[in-house]
Amino acid sequence: MKLHLFVLILLSAFPFSGAFAQPVSQQSIFNIVPQPVKVQPARGIFKLNATVKIEVPSSDKEVLETARLFSKEISIPTGYHLEVVGAVAKNEKAICLILNTIPDDVLGKEGYMLEVNPTRINIRANKPAGIFYGMQTLMQLLPPVIENKTKITHENWNIHCVSIMDYPRFGWRGLMLDVSRHFFSKEFVKEYIDQMAKYKYNIFHWHLTDDNGWRIEIKGLPRLTEIGAWRAPRTGNYRSFKVAQPGEKATYGGYYTQEDIKEIVKYAQKRFVTILPEVDVPGHSLALIAAYPNLSCTQLPYPVRVGRFKVKVDNVLCVANDSTWLMLDKIFTQIATLFPGQYIHVGGDEAYTGFWDKHSKDQALMKREGIENTKELQSYFEKKLESLIISKGKKMIGWDEILEGGLAPEATVMSWRGMQGGIEASKMGHHVIMTPGSNCYLNEYQGDAVVEPPAEATLRLSTCYEFEPVPDGVDSKFILGGQGNLWTEFVANERHAEYMTWPRGLALAEVFWSQKDRRNWPEFIHRMEAQLPRFDAAQIKYARSFYQVIITPVKDDMVNDSMRVQLDTEIPGLDIYYTFDNSNPDQFYQKYNGQSLIIPAGAEQINVVTYRGGKPIGEQINMPLEVLKKRMK
């Protein structure tokens, strides 16, 4: 069916077409993230009150569950307990959830139509997922305090009239949380999934195992959680963690029981989020090897890794060891049963192959199979592992290193070392998820390292928003979508995890959901800032780093071995004030005029701050000039 014809038919199905008349300013009222395909404002208000009912004409269980979930969520701040019914009288105010009797390929499986008029809210979709996403948009049309965890009094729960048509650009819209480096509670994982779903993410990539901890119960392998889930306690900077000392007790860590897993999977399913479990092999396997030392080439006893390796230890599974494959079969049999999604992630990244070079069994295997080098040996491992995964009724995903030495026949590639791995895999006819570190690694600094928590490299909000998952010359049918990744070497607690995710997670949500031609950075900033009071109401921690001054050293060609200072901001419309005399600037100090600054004689640092509308908005940065000089080299 053609788009314009479909829209006419669908709009005619709405009983309150007058909502399209007399449009009002979209930007002043509607601040939806991610940006919908089409938003048509109208005059009028739907007043939500305790008498409103949720009408679900269909008997579909998922739609009924969505209706009940919405009613439960808004009952806390509003005090209203909206009744879910099969039909309402014509004169009753209602929110009506309608599955299309004639599905159309314009909306697809996750698209929706939302119309709000003074007496009725209609949400139409082909599938229950579309109804759910329409409800998430409806939540954003309510005041920000709808996210409150306690009842709000004297609040007008008004929804401005509007008609919205929306559907996603990509089917894979993911966020990854690493729970190996630091363990996060079951309750936090559920909250993280809840926030993802609000912004229409549909994949939760759960990095469950690594060198630093094994986080999932496997029946019949008790040492995985008795030993592999715990390590010596450390706080502070991950770079400086000391290795576990002889006799030191491993007391830091935790794991999820299979009952925990089932509970979280069910929680995610209600929010149309699929969980992608990752068991990282053959490298990054020290927690597994610590529990079962016979799985490595050296078979030496190692403790679970605390921080970085000072010397090379054998954290890679032995390919030729029969015990390796017996162990993996048992693990992935249970993983496949616990997680109903079609994919299992097997890692495959950063596998050190030096121990394979020295191991007689692996060398004999290579000779027997005609394998010329250890890259090809890893390819042999990945292909054998893929057969194992397929035998469990699942498909295999791995990081782009699985390309090296030859890609497993049906594997999907998650491209993290830039875009090239994804480009190569797509040209080979493989599906790809684009997640390059340059745009998608949420563990990196989001502002200046002088004021941000420890991290590595820098990934600003704008860089996330600029990400384009489909490279030039690549057939888009092979690009499933994209994903943001939060590795947690430097993220030791749950509030910090939230801080690193939001608002960069909003930018990536828009990249993955919204149509490419709908993306607009200044306009996104306006909508993103409107989400911040929602995070406040929900008690979600987020970064304000995008308000910071960006300080750049510039070589002064007029003076040997000297520099100037250039100031900028990530978002437009901010005023910058600065000092070189160690005092704290405000709006009565020197205002930056856009020209590079000459550094006064004797100055040791520059202090900068941003204002908007006469009020401070960004965190003050006190930058030693010696630091800038090092950055200039």
Side-chain angles (χ1 to χ4, degrees):
M1 188 183 293
K2 298 296 185 182
L3 175 60
H4 67 278
L5 178 60
F6 167 72
V7 173
L8 288 174
I9 293 173
L10 197 54
L11 295 182
S12 67
F14 284 112
F16 302 98
S17 58
F20 283 91
Q22 305 177 25
V24 296
S25 170
Q26 175 179 335
Q27 191 179 47
S28 63
I29 299 173
F30 305 105
N31 296 296
I32 302 164
V33 177
Q35 177 77 293
V37 173
K38 184 177 180 180
V39 178
Q40 180 63 52
R43 294 196 182 278
I45 288 174
F46 179 97
K47 295 181 184 244
L48 183 70
N49 57 43
T51 66
V52 172
K53 292 182 173 64
I54 304 177
E55 183 183 56
V56 184
S58 166
S59 60
D60 187 278
K61 292 182 180 179
E62 290 181 297
V63 177
L64 285 168
E65 187 65 49
T66 294
R68 291 170 184 144
L69 182 62
F70 177 82
S71 179
K72 181 180 179 181
E73 286 181 346
I74 70 168
S75 69
I76 297 172
T78 65
Y80 307 152
H81 298 274
L82 305 189
E83 185 180 0
V84 178
V85 298
V88 297
K90 289 186 178 180
N91 62 342
E92 288 186 294
K93 292 178 70 174
I95 301 168
C96 187
L97 310 183
I98 307 164
L99 283 179
N100 292 332
T101 56
I102 305 177
D104 184 273
D105 60 2
V106 173
L107 295 183
K109 295 180 180 180
E110 297 180 296
Y112 63 91
M113 294 284 290
L114 166 64
E115 185 191 38
V116 180
N117 64 64
T119 59
R120 181 67 64 96
I121 295 174
N122 289 319
I123 299 176
R124 293 179 179 268
N126 294 334
K127 298 290 183 180
I131 297 291
F132 178 81
Y133 292 128
M135 296 297 271
Q136 301 318 301
T137 296
L138 180 61
M139 284 287 285
Q140 290 193 38
L141 299 181
L142 284 160
V145 287
I146 196 67
E147 301 291 344
N148 245 61
K149 297 181 182 297
T150 57
K151 185 178 178 180
I152 302 296
T153 57
H154 308 299
E155 177 66 39
N156 293 319
W157 302 105
N158 295 337
I159 303 172
H160 287 274
C161 292
V162 65
S163 290
I164 296 172
M165 180 176 71
D166 200 12
Y167 49 83
R169 182 183 178 196
F170 295 106
W172 189 288
R173 306 180 302 278
L175 280 180
M176 187 214 76
L177 179 64
D178 166 16
V179 297
S180 174
R181 274 50 181 263
H182 292 282
F183 178 72
F184 298 98
S185 70
K186 174 181 67 175
E187 290 72 24
F188 175 76
V189 171
K190 290 163 70 173
E191 290 177 5
Y192 199 80
I193 290 170
D194 204 31
Q195 288 302 312
M196 287 174 53
K198 289 179 187 296
Y199 297 103
K200 303 182 175 71
Y201 283 100
N202 65 351
I203 302 291
F204 175 59
H205 177 171
W206 207 358
H207 188 79
L208 289 163
T209 77
D210 212 296
D211 292 327
N212 308 96
W214 183 277
R215 304 299 180 206
I216 180 170
E217 176 191 19
I218 301 296
K219 303 289 188 181
L221 298 173
R223 292 173 63 87
L224 287 175
T225 48
E226 291 172 358
I227 295 175
W230 307 93
R231 66 175 185 266
R234 297 288 185 273
T235 58
N237 193 325
Y238 181 85
R239 294 189 187 98
S240 61
F241 283 174
K242 294 182 178 179
V243 299
Q245 302 301 302
E248 186 177 11
K249 292 184 178 181
T251 58
Y252 182 84
Y255 65 93
Y256 309 99
T257 68
Q258 293 202 1
E259 290 306 310
D260 291 336
I261 298 291
K262 292 173 185 177
E263 181 181 335
I264 293 169
V265 166
K266 185 177 181 180
Y267 188 90
Q269 286 176 323
K270 289 182 179 180
R271 290 151 181 80
F272 293 88
V273 171
T274 298
I275 297 182
L276 173 68
E278 181 183 357
V279 173
D280 201 347
V281 291
H284 288 276
S285 295
L286 194 62
L288 173 55
I289 290 169
Y292 296 94
N294 62 305
L295 300 180
S296 74
C297 291
T298 62
Q299 301 193 359
L300 294 174
Y302 294 110
V304 175
R305 176 181 173 185
V306 173
R308 296 187 175 214
F309 292 135
K310 302 298 181 182
V311 295
K312 184 59 66 177
V313 300
D314 192 359
N315 69 331
V316 180
L317 300 178
C318 176
V319 182
N321 191 336
D322 290 340
S323 296
T324 295
W325 296 101
L326 292 171
M327 178 71 70
L328 293 179
D329 183 76
K330 191 159 192 174
I331 290 169
F332 284 114
T333 295
Q334 296 186 39
I335 294 287
T337 301
L338 287 167
F339 296 94
Q342 62 179 317
Y343 292 100
I344 293 176
H345 201 301
V346 299
D349 61 311
E350 300 176 329
Y352 175 72
T353 61
F355 292 99
W356 293 346
D357 278 322
K358 301 173 184 178
H359 189 52
S360 59
K361 278 190 176 182
D362 285 323
Q363 289 301 305
L365 172 63
M366 292 172 65
K367 184 176 181 180
R368 186 169 64 251
E369 297 292 335
I371 298 172
E372 295 185 0
N373 54 56
T374 50
K375 284 189 176 181
E376 290 185 10
L377 182 58
Q378 180 166 353
S379 177
Y380 172 90
F381 175 92
E382 304 297 349
K383 290 173 182 176
K384 186 171 180 177
L385 182 57
E386 184 185 50
S387 296
L388 176 64
I389 298 298
I390 291 173
S391 74
K392 310 303 176 189
K394 303 293 185 179
K395 297 179 181 178
M396 186 177 95
I397 294 179
W399 302 108
D400 57 58
E401 282 94 335
I402 68 173
L403 281 163
E404 298 171 1
L407 186 56
E410 299 178 35
T412 295
V413 172
M414 198 169 270
S415 188
W416 73 278
R417 296 179 300 175
M419 306 285 276
Q420 192 57 40
I423 293 171
E424 291 177 13
S426 66
K427 289 181 177 178
M428 296 165 63
H430 289 262
H431 284 129
V432 173
I433 299 142
M434 289 295 192
T435 178
S438 57
N439 298 91
C440 300
Y441 269 38
L442 302 178
N443 46 289
E444 296 180 347
Y445 290 113
Q446 47 199 322
D448 201 292
V450 169
V451 291
E452 291 288 324
E456 293 179 320
T458 300
L459 174 60
R460 294 187 180 274
L461 178 67
S462 56
T463 308
C464 290
Y465 195 74
E466 292 163 1
F467 177 44
E468 171 48 47
V470 182
D472 292 339
V474 170
D475 191 335
S476 61
K477 72 180 182 182
F478 293 113
I479 309 301
L480 296 180
Q483 183 171 287
N485 299 319
L486 180 57
W487 301 101
T488 59
E489 287 94 335
F490 298 92
V491 182
N493 61 68
E494 296 168 353
R495 296 291 286 175
H496 192 183
E498 292 173 346
Y499 176 88
M500 299 302 282
T501 303
W502 311 108
R504 290 183 296 186
L506 297 181
L508 290 177
E510 188 145 311
V511 168
F512 302 147
W513 176 279
S514 301
Q515 304 307 301
K516 186 177 179 180
D517 62 2
R518 296 289 284 150
R519 282 158 56 189
N520 179 293
W521 171 246
E523 199 270 331
F524 167 75
I525 287 295
H526 178 85
R527 289 181 290 108
M528 180 275 296
E529 288 186 291
Q531 300 299 315
L532 303 185
R534 296 181 179 273
F535 287 131
D536 290 333
Q539 299 175 3
I540 301 296
K541 190 175 179 67
Y542 58 89
R544 297 170 60 88
S545 312
F546 51 89
Y547 290 128
Q548 292 177 8
V549 178
I550 300 173
I551 309 172
T552 306
V554 180
K555 177 68 177 174
D556 191 342
D557 295 329
M558 304 299 293
V559 182
N560 290 333
D561 299 324
S562 185
M563 70 176 181
R564 292 173 177 252
V565 177
Q566 186 79 34
L567 306 181
D568 202 355
T569 58
E570 189 174 9
I571 67 173
L574 303 185
D575 296 321
I576 303 173
Y577 297 92
Y578 67 93
T579 68
F580 283 104
D581 62 5
N582 296 335
S583 59
N584 298 326
D586 57 22
Q587 73 271 34
F588 298 103
Y589 279 74
Q590 186 72 27
K591 182 178 178 180
Y592 183 65
N593 64 7
Q595 302 297 315
S596 61
L597 301 175
I598 299 173
I599 300 171
E604 295 181 346
Q605 71 179 38
I606 180 173
N607 294 353
V608 293
V609 69
T610 52
Y611 273 64
R612 185 164 65 186
K615 295 182 179 180
I617 195 166
E619 182 178 7
Q620 179 174 310
I621 298 177
N622 303 327
M623 176 67 72
L625 297 179
E626 284 301 315
V627 172
L628 286 179
K629 287 180 181 179
K630 291 178 182 178
R631 292 181 182 180
M632 188 172 63
K633 294 179 180 178

